[in-house]
Amino acid sequence: MTSAQAHRRLVLWDIDHTLIDGGGVSREAYAAAFSRVTGQPLRKMADMSGRTELAISTDTLRLHGLTPDPAMVERFTAAVAEELHAREEALASAGRPLPGARAAISALSSIAGTHQSLLTGNMRSLAELKMRVFGLAEHIDFEAGAYGDDDVERPALLAHAWRRARSRHCHRYTGRDTVIIGDTVLDVATAKAGGARSIAVATGTTSVAELAASGADVVLPDLTDTAALVAAVGGGDHPASASVTP
């Protein structure tokens, strides 16, 4: 068995508020899509933090007294994708990669046996758009990830990622060789549900204390300490307790 085979690891990144700040352009796309599909203005958005596009779209329709049947949700999400793609220049202008994001992805790409993909609430087409716009796509295997149009609930996405990663890399990944990196308690819950290692970064709206209380294995304030991130990814399969890096 080679070193790479002995130390296989699948790293699954969240996108929004973990790797990038989208500058509010996604909300603009949702508003335009909602108006197109329903003929009425968007008055209220469902909670977006850590949730899938399917869940956000479904609940947003309900908030306006509409029945989110599968056909309506499909039209709405398709319109959201079209509207955000049409705003690519605005996204590039208003948004930004978060500090340390590029360096973190690059550093992990040099570790033998480590494969990086995504576990994100974004639909795949939007995940690819955002990663490409902000120069983060080079070391990401999009074919091995899971996306917000795969399932409604975020914890269910992990099985999709494992199935695709196995097909890509001829290895049956489990929680023991999977790391999920994100900024919300839902990212942590997804990791815990699958027995995966969780690294939480307090770059969104959830504090270091809240992320630690949710059961994250490691909590980082951001991604600027590349060495700390790399150490956290390789820190073991089932650590005894969470650690917080100030």
Side-chain angles (χ1 to χ4, degrees):
M1 180 179 290
T2 68
S3 175
Q5 289 172 327
H7 298 92
R8 296 257 193 172
R9 197 173 304 275
L10 179 66
V11 176
L12 297 170
W13 289 94
D14 173 51
I15 298 178
D16 293 292
H17 306 295
T18 297
L19 292 171
I20 74 161
D21 177 346
V25 178
S26 289
R27 287 182 180 270
E28 296 173 11
Y30 262 92
F34 187 86
S35 179
R36 278 177 52 191
V37 170
T38 70
Q40 60 178 281
L42 179 71
R43 298 187 301 276
K44 188 174 182 181
M45 274 287 300
D47 179 24
M48 300 179 77
S49 182
R51 305 182 73 214
T52 68
E53 302 268 16
L54 287 177
I56 295 165
S57 298
T58 297
D59 285 355
T60 297
L61 290 167
R62 286 197 179 111
L63 287 171
H64 293 78
L66 300 170
T67 302
D69 59 76
M72 172 73 82
V73 172
E74 183 176 357
R75 289 197 301 274
F76 187 18
T77 55
V80 169
E82 291 170 4
E83 292 291 344
L84 190 56
H85 276 280
R87 289 166 171 75
E88 180 174 341
E89 290 186 5
L91 180 64
S93 176
R96 64 190 175 98
L98 290 177
R102 288 195 186 113
I105 292 173
S106 179
L108 292 179
S109 74
S110 67
I111 301 174
T114 297
H115 298 284
Q116 297 181 81
S117 189
L118 304 170
L119 193 152
T120 172
N122 286 275
M123 292 178 277
R124 177 167 172 173
S125 67
L126 299 187
E128 293 184 359
L129 171 69
K130 291 176 179 181
M131 296 294 282
R132 175 174 54 78
V133 163
F134 296 112
L136 300 171
E138 181 181 359
H139 302 296
I140 300 297
D141 180 1
F142 292 101
E143 295 293 335
Y147 304 93
D149 44 355
D150 284 326
D151 218 304
V152 175
E153 300 302 329
R154 194 178 189 104
L157 299 185
L158 186 52
H160 292 276
W162 279 339
R163 172 174 52 80
R164 290 171 180 147
R166 181 185 183 190
S167 177
R168 294 284 289 171
H169 305 298
C170 300
H171 176 75
R172 185 190 292 273
Y173 289 95
T174 68
R176 297 193 67 84
D177 46 20
T178 303
V179 180
I180 293 177
I181 308 175
D183 68 291
T184 74
V185 296
L186 282 176
D187 295 294
V188 176
T190 300
K192 288 171 70 69
R197 184 170 176 79
S198 59
I199 300 173
V201 288
T203 43
T205 59
T206 310
S207 70
V208 166
E210 290 170 322
L211 291 169
S214 73
D217 294 313
V218 176
V219 182
L220 303 174
D222 52 41
L223 295 173
T224 57
D225 189 338
T226 305
L229 185 280
V230 171
V233 167
D237 298 312
H238 296 287
S241 61
S243 61
V244 177
T245 300

